[in-house]
Amino acid sequence: MIVKLLESIVGAWMLERIGNELDDHQYGALKRRSTAHALVDMVHHWSETIDDGQSLHVVFIDFAKAFDYVNHKVLVGKLLALGLPDTIIRWMCAFLRCRRQRVKLRKA
């Protein structure tokens, strides 16, 4: 329980500090942005392209469990480049190291 609270606090602090560095088309993990916003943005750009008489090609890729395959060294490098303090980055590295997940099901 305390870990979730700490994650929330650190996450909010990080977004406040680096939020202006994020791409305008970033929708995941941000407050007041959702999949619906991403879809509306996509359809808007598609409509503009078609209205301008241009051709449109779309490719969809399913990144199932994408975070499971993120290279942590690359992630740390990007966080360093954003100017986050070493203490936060070390904490995140410790958090990501040997991470496990499990699901508990309650029998009816």
Side-chain angles (χ1 to χ4, degrees), residues 1-106:
M1 236 15 187
I2 276 202
V3 171
K4 289 289 184 191
L5 178 61
L6 185 58
E7 282 179 42
S8 175
I9 292 169
V10 170
W13 178 85
M14 285 176 61
L15 280 176
E16 184 178 309
R17 182 155 178 166
I18 64 171
N20 60 338
E21 298 291 327
L22 298 176
D23 188 288
D24 288 338
H25 299 288
Q26 169 69 36
Y27 295 97
L30 295 176
K31 286 184 180 181
R32 296 179 298 279
R33 291 201 172 191
S34 67
T35 308
H37 292 102
L39 290 170
V40 167
D41 188 47
M42 248 182 352
V43 170
H44 172 73
H45 287 293
W46 293 348
S47 298
E48 280 184 335
T49 300
I50 292 168
D51 288 347
D52 290 343
Q54 299 176 30
S55 72
L56 177 70
H57 302 275
V58 179
V59 175
F60 289 95
I61 301 172
D62 181 10
F63 288 109
K65 296 186 179 185
F67 189 76
D68 294 346
Y69 300 104
V70 170
N71 183 320
H72 292 166
K73 288 181 183 178
V74 172
L75 176 62
V76 168
K78 289 186 181 279
L79 294 173
L80 283 168
L82 287 169
L84 289 173
D86 290 345
T87 52
I88 294 294
I89 294 172
R90 283 195 308 270
W91 176 78
M92 288 186 65
C93 289
F95 180 78
L96 293 170
R97 191 174 298 119
C98 302
R99 189 90 170 150
R100 294 183 185 183
Q101 179 180 356
R102 72 178 169 166
V103 176
K104 288 184 178 183
L105 299 175
R106 187 183 310 181

